[in-house]
Amino acid sequence: MEKERLLERIDVNPKVMVGKPVIKGTRLTVHYILSLLASGMTVDEILSEYDGLEREDTLACLAFAAEALERTEFVPLVVEANARSFCLGICLGNS
């Protein structure tokens, strides 16, 4: 299924779950479904727990997360060993 069609299954409405992205027609947030998958539940297990939920709804949650990450910028944090030792020494009072 095309990503755009999957994303149509996700709704963001300030009147539903305080504006968190949800699967349309439900109060199941994208975050909740992703958390279930991350905890080790299979798609089939999730579908058996929630009547009316479809496999494409779980794929839509993954597509939404991928889209959100695509639009996010990450800045690597690099800490050199000397700077870390210096900071730890100051923070711990060992100058």
Side-chain angles (χ1 to χ4, degrees):
M1 183 175 270
E2 292 178 25
K3 183 168 59 170
E4 291 78 24
R5 296 224 18 217
L6 287 174
L7 291 174
E8 290 174 3
R9 293 174 167 269
I10 303 299
D11 190 27
V12 179
N13 181 337
K15 295 180 180 181
V16 178
M17 299 300 288
V18 195
K20 293 181 179 181
V22 297
I23 298 169
K24 278 187 181 176
T26 76
R27 296 178 61 80
L28 295 171
T29 65
V30 168
H31 176 262
Y32 181 68
I33 298 298
L34 294 175
S35 295
L36 293 177
L37 291 168
S39 73
M41 281 186 82
T42 66
V43 172
D44 288 334
E45 289 171 332
I46 294 170
L47 295 177
S48 71
E49 290 289 321
Y50 298 98
D51 291 334
L53 199 64
E54 298 177 9
R55 183 170 306 279
E56 288 77 13
D57 294 325
T58 59
L59 294 176
C61 291
L62 292 170
F64 186 90
E67 188 75 14
L69 285 172
E70 182 68 27
R71 296 177 184 173
T72 303
E73 291 186 29
F74 295 92
V75 178
L77 298 176
V78 178
V79 178
E80 294 183 25
N82 290 340
R84 185 179 323 147
S85 297
F86 175 75
C87 178
L88 288 175
I90 297 295
C91 296
L92 298 174
N94 303 330
S95 43

